[in-house]
């Protein structure tokens, strides 16, 4: 209000800035409307700060910088150096090349999504992957929806709406991101009947809860925690027999649900979908983007009559997957026909099975480059660490790995490390690690593009002690 009027007058007009060379190029790139808005914003900012100046080129430069910043995608690639291979907040599984190609074809073209090419009639989209799913799991039939949360929701709603679902108290999981079994049950219109205790549930607990109101028995794989010590759970085989005696289905929510024996990658055994089917579960639900290594999807495999009912539920239409994901799912599942080469072709297993010497080799290049960049204020070394599978698979197993560890020489350690961690997250490709004790750790397991990583450091301004 009390800014000197003479100074305000010195600001160039919007038109003057728009006529500059820099803006001509920007208009061609970003469009006139966005360019005018950026110039107005820059001039308004200058006016607010009481800035004077008639340097048209400087205002034009600011406007172009604004346009460039606004054109950056919000969903950016990052370097996942957290050590968690399937990191939910970083998008879980990386997609195999063959699946990316299949998705690209599906995006660019009309595809026979619900079209029977033999008879020229309408087909079912699930049929595209049904046979593969049955072959890989030993199930009679299969369907797929948006994600495993949707698979569980659809299953409960189809078989236990207005009825009861029996679950052990030891299996009432929360996955995170608002997936809590009791909440899903209530949204599905199912009454939850909890049996047993947190650590011990017996067959007699299930028997006591079964009634004519029972819609199904649900077994949940406690995929993101483990209860140890004085424990007891009723196995799927025994539960299946009990469920069938009472003419209700047993549903096994496997969560991660791998299709291969993980011991072939040096990991601990995790129940496979085929095992869950063989144990007698009538329906098995599992995720597409956890250990399976595909896009976000929820699979339901099991008895034909039950899958048919799921497909007839109007909710299925609201939860179905699109052609792009179907293309990726099909290509990803095909890779499982050749398990010997999975670790080569599927990024999830490539990263999980990565030998320690790969990480050591990366460290040999990265440690000196980072030390050089950060200067004498920081100490860059390597440290043994453990990676995790993530996303609710093998929650207590850790994979021996190697980290680049950055600590601060001298005082102000905590503040400087936080500042460095922030600066690394602001790079063109943000670098995400973790601070543990007094060091910033970058687990190298998921770093594959080392040239890209080193080039990305070019604009890093290391924070300085004050
Ligand atoms: C992860 C998980 C879910 C949810 O699966 P999304 O694919 O993330 O929707 C449900 N149940 C279990 C046991 C899980 O581990």
């Amino acid at each position: 209000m009390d800014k000197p009027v003479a100074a305000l007058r010195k600001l160039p007009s919007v038109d003057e800035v728009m006529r500059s060379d820099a803006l001509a190029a920007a208009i061609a790139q970003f469009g006139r409307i966005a360019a005018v808005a950026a110039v107005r914003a820059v001039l308004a900012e200058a006016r607010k700060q009481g800035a004077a100046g008639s340097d048209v080129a400087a205002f034009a430069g600011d406007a172009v910088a604004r346009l460039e910043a606004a054109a950056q995608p919000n969903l950016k690639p990052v370097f996942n150096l957290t050590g968690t291979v399937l990191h939910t907040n970083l998008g879980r599984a990386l997609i195999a090349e063959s699946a990316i190609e299949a998705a690209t074809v599906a995006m660019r073209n009309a595809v026979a999504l619900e079209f029977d090419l033999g008879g020229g009639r309408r087909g079912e989209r699930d049929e595209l992957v049904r046979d593969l799913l049955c072959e890989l799991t030993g199930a009679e039939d299969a369907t797929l929806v948006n994600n495993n949360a949707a698979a569980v929701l659809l299953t409960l709603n189809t078989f236990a709406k207005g009825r009861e679902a029996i679950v052990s108290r030891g299996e009432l999981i929360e996955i995170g991101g608002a997936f809590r079994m009791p909440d899903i049950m209530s949204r599905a219109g199912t009454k939850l009947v909890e049996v047993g205790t947190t650590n011990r549930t017996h067959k007699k607990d299930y028997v006591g809860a079964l009634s004519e109101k029972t819609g199904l028995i649900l077994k949940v794989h406690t995929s993101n925690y483990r209860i140890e010590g004085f424990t007891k759970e009723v196995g799927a085989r025994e539960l299946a027999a009990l469920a069938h005696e009472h003419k209700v289905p047993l549903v096994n929510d496997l969560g991660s649900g791998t299709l291969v024996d993980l011991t072939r990658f040096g990991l601990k055994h995790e129940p496979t979908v085929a095992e869950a089917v063989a144990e007698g579960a009538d329906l098995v639900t599992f995720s597409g983007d956890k250990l399976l290594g595909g896009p976000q999807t929820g699979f339901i495999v099991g008895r034909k009559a039950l899958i048919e009912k799921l497909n007839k539920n109007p909710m299925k239409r609201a939860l179905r997957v699109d052609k792009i994901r179907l293309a990726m799912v099909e290509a990803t599942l095909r890779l499982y026909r050749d398990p010997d080469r999975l670790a080569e072709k599927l990024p999830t297993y490539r990263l999980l099975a990565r030998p320690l010497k790969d990480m050591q080799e990366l460290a040999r290049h990265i440690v000196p480059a980072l030390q050089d960049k950060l200067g004498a204020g920081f100490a860059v070394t390597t440290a043994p660490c453990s990676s995790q599978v993530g996303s609710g698979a093998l929650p207590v197993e850790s994979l021996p790995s190697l980290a680049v560890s950055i600590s601060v020489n001298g005082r102000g350690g905590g503040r400087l490390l936080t500042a460095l961690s922030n600066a690394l997250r602001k790079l063109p490709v943000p670098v995400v690690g973790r601070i543990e004790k007094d060091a910033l750790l970058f687990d190298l397991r998921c770093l594959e593009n080392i040239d890209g990583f080193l080039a990305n450091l070019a604009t890093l301004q290391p924070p300085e002690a004050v």
Side-chain angles (χ1 to χ4, degrees), residues 233-270:
E233 67 170 317
V234 184
R237 221 175 265 285
E238 208 176 337
L239 270 188
L242 188 62
H244 299 155
E245 236 173 80
H246 287 79
K247 307 236 174 337
V248 294
L250 172 68
V251 177
N252 192 344
D253 175 18
L254 267 193
S256 206
T258 167
L259 296 176
V260 285
D261 181 0
L262 293 185
T263 56
R264 65 161 58 234
F265 305 112
L267 300 166
K268 282 223 183 64
H269 182 79
E270 168 93 355

Side-chain angles (χ1 to χ4, degrees), residues 65-74:
R66 220 172 238 269
L67 285 165
E68 277 167 356
Q72 291 298 314
N74 291 331

Side-chain angles (χ1 to χ4, degrees), residues 325-359:
R325 268 197 285 166
L326 262 166
M328 287 191 276
V329 166
E330 182 184 353
T332 305
L333 291 176
R334 279 183 193 283
L335 296 177
Y336 281 89
R337 285 190 161 153
D338 182 8
D340 292 338
R341 289 199 293 164
L342 266 184
E344 226 174 276
K345 302 208 161 157
L346 203 59
T348 298
Y349 289 118
R350 184 170 73 224
L351 296 174
L352 288 174
R354 204 167 182 195
L356 198 55
K357 68 168 174 33
D358 270 25
M359 281 77 99

Side-chain angles (χ1 to χ4, degrees), residues 435-453:
I435 293 183
E436 207 169 84
K437 294 194 189 116
D438 297 323
L440 181 53
L441 292 185
F442 292 130
D443 186 324
L444 298 176
R445 176 176 298 274
C446 298
L447 178 61
E448 300 201 285
N449 177 6
I450 180 165
D451 294 338
F453 180 81

Side-chain angles (χ1 to χ4, degrees), residues 92 147-150 152 173 175 179 181 220-224 253-256 286-290 296-298 391-392:
R92 289 194 184 161
N147 57 11
N148 189 32
V152 174
I173 55 163
I175 299 295
F179 183 91
M181 208 38 104
V220 186
H221 181 53
T222 57
S223 50
N224 54 3
D253 175 18
L254 267 193
S256 206
F286 53 103
S287 289
D289 55 353
K290 294 183 178 174
Q296 179 188 300
T297 326
S391 279

